[in-house]
Amino acid sequence: MKCHTCGLEENIPFRCTYCGESFCHLHRNPINHFCPFLNTYTEKRKLLREGNYDNGYSSLGNSIGRSLLRAIKIKSSKTELLHIAVAALLVTAVGLSLNGYRHFSWQFLAMFVSAFLVHELAHKFLAQYYGSWSEFRAQMYGLIITAISALPFMPFKFIAPGAVMVGLTDRNKFGRVALIGPLTNLVMGFSFLISAYLYPYHSYLYAGASFNAWIALFNLLPFGVLDGQKIFDWNKIAWGCAMATTMALFIIAHF
């Protein structure tokens, strides 16, 4: 489909929930495509910031639940849930392909998939904490690469089904949102590593440390649209510390 504003072709376009038109990632927000319902969008965001917008939480039938949801302000959409489900399914297939689909282990698979999901959700939650629109979107070329990696005879595996899109203009906040993803992998990786020393008979714990080290290392590479490039542009010291810590985890987990 083509963006209603600039005509850019998008394999997976963003649909405005106010006017119903389809847009590219640059014009997805109502304020960027001069939405005819911009006043409604602005008023809703104001109410959300003030914590006065119900947003359907009344269906919970519980005032405590509504207060909690408003406090954490986690927002999603059916489109995002669909994209995450497709991405998680392909990531699961990659995990199963590592042993040629011959064996199945819940522990192994849970650690493999969580290394991807927690990373992406960390981006989303921090961006929303800063008041930004933030949702995961699958990308066609990423889905294809991940699907090819799920073939058992492929020697190299790449997991890049999509990414979390954010609408932040503040440089410092944008840098922190980029950094939080690899940091979650480092926390999980070292946690698995410590657990592996405490419980040496559970070999899958080393696998969990290894997976998280790989994902953090890949995302910290300062190239293209990866987190590493955003972090490097924002704060080179933060990038250097994160990369050094990731290399330490990688070396310890593999040797």
Side-chain angles (χ1 to χ4, degrees), residues 62-250:
N62 188 317
S63 60
I64 297 177
R66 291 196 299 270
S67 299
L68 179 61
L69 288 174
R70 286 172 179 168
I72 56 180
K73 294 183 179 179
I74 297 174
K75 298 177 286 293
S76 186
S77 67
K78 292 181 180 179
T79 300
E80 180 184 35
L81 295 177
L82 175 62
H83 285 219
I84 289 179
V86 173
L89 183 63
L90 286 177
V91 173
T92 302
V94 174
L96 292 172
S97 73
L98 293 174
N99 57 27
Y101 296 93
R102 293 187 297 271
H103 305 289
F104 180 81
S105 169
W106 278 109
Q107 298 95 329
F108 177 87
L109 203 58
M111 288 187 297
F112 188 84
V113 177
S114 66
F116 159 74
L117 284 178
V118 175
H119 175 108
E120 296 299 337
L121 291 177
H123 288 313
K124 172 184 174 65
F125 293 159
L126 184 58
Q128 288 195 349
Y129 174 79
Y130 285 141
S132 167
W133 174 90
S134 176
E135 288 196 0
F136 178 86
R137 286 294 183 270
Q139 297 169 338
M140 188 58 66
Y141 67 90
L143 293 174
I144 293 173
I145 291 174
T146 306
I148 293 174
S149 297
L151 298 174
F153 55 80
M154 291 298 296
F156 300 104
K157 307 295 183 181
F158 294 95
I159 300 175
V164 171
M165 306 297 177
V166 301
L168 286 169
T169 56
D170 186 286
R171 185 169 177 268
N172 290 326
K173 291 180 179 178
F174 188 75
R176 295 186 197 113
V177 169
L179 179 61
I180 193 67
L183 283 184
T184 57
N185 291 121
L186 289 176
V187 171
M188 292 174 65
F190 278 110
S191 297
F192 284 131
L193 196 61
I194 293 171
S195 299
Y197 282 114
L198 296 176
Y199 306 99
Y201 298 105
H202 299 288
S203 59
Y204 57 82
L205 293 172
Y206 283 103
S210 176
F211 293 153
N212 280 279
W214 270 109
I215 291 181
L217 182 63
F218 175 76
N219 280 277
L220 282 172
L221 295 176
F223 303 116
V225 296
L226 296 176
D227 295 332
Q229 184 64 63
K230 302 168 188 174
I231 300 167
F232 188 83
D233 292 340
W234 164 58
N235 190 317
K236 293 177 176 57
I237 295 177
W239 177 86
C241 292
M243 179 59 81
T245 307
T246 301
M247 291 300 298
L249 174 63
F250 181 84

